[in-house]
Amino acid sequence: MLIINKYILNLISFFLIIYPFALLSGPFFSDGIVSVVSILFIFLLIYNKDYNFVTNYYNLFFLFIFIYLIFSSLISTNVILSLESSLFYSRHWIFCLSFAYVIMYNKKIFSFFLLSTIFMIVFLLLDSFIQYYTGLN
């Protein structure tokens, strides 16, 4: 694997590990991470010419659904408003694909992701109990 591949995979892995904490901060950081990881993943696929990962029946099914959403947006009465809501759904699909791609190359990332998710849930539970019993935020 080339240096740029390892660098991009490590960067995507880092963003996947901090993603649960970004969900706590609101939509800006979590949507930013989804967008950046999707762009990096597309770059990685094009750079490696590794299209076999995305050409299976499940991905073709989701591609069909996405094309259907775009088509129904194009024939709606308010095209611009309809395209705003349906055009960028693909980034979440690409984010899931990148998550599976990174896990395929490094199995430890899934355990780190689970640990960060568990830590975030425990933090939220403790914060909720503190807020409930003390009445302070």
Side-chain angles (χ1 to χ4, degrees):
M1 207 181 268
L2 298 171
I3 292 244
I4 194 162
N5 292 346
K6 283 188 175 186
Y7 178 73
I8 290 176
L9 281 174
N10 287 338
L11 192 61
I12 290 173
S13 301
F14 172 73
F15 282 136
L16 289 175
I17 290 170
I18 65 168
Y19 182 69
F21 298 106
L23 288 173
L24 290 177
S25 67
F28 177 73
F29 290 116
S30 60
D31 286 347
I33 286 175
V34 168
S35 299
V36 168
V37 167
S38 298
I39 290 169
L40 287 173
F41 178 65
I42 290 171
F43 174 76
L44 190 65
L45 284 180
I46 292 171
Y47 184 76
N48 291 336
K49 296 180 177 84
D50 187 16
Y51 306 116
N52 293 332
F53 184 74
V54 292
T55 54
N56 59 25
Y57 293 115
Y58 298 114
N59 292 331
L60 293 176
F61 176 72
F62 284 116
L63 181 66
F64 176 74
I65 289 174
F66 180 67
I67 289 171
Y68 171 75
L69 287 173
I70 297 298
F71 179 71
S72 71
S73 295
L74 289 175
I75 61 173
S76 70
T77 56
N78 194 351
V79 175
I80 301 297
L81 182 65
S82 182
L83 278 175
E84 278 181 11
S85 64
S86 65
L87 191 60
F88 296 107
Y89 281 136
S90 63
R91 66 189 167 122
H92 297 287
W93 169 54
I94 295 170
F95 179 75
C96 293
L97 286 176
S98 66
F99 189 73
Y101 189 79
V102 168
I103 288 174
M104 187 174 69
Y105 280 106
N106 189 357
K107 306 281 189 221
K108 289 191 282 186
I109 295 301
F110 187 68
S111 62
F112 288 136
F113 177 76
L114 283 179
L115 283 175
S116 66
T117 304
I118 290 169
F119 183 75
M120 182 213 39
I121 290 172
V122 168
F123 175 75
L124 282 176
L125 285 173
L126 288 175
D127 186 51
S128 299
F129 285 136
I130 290 171
Q131 286 184 23
Y132 181 75
Y133 290 117
T134 63
L136 300 173
N137 191 358

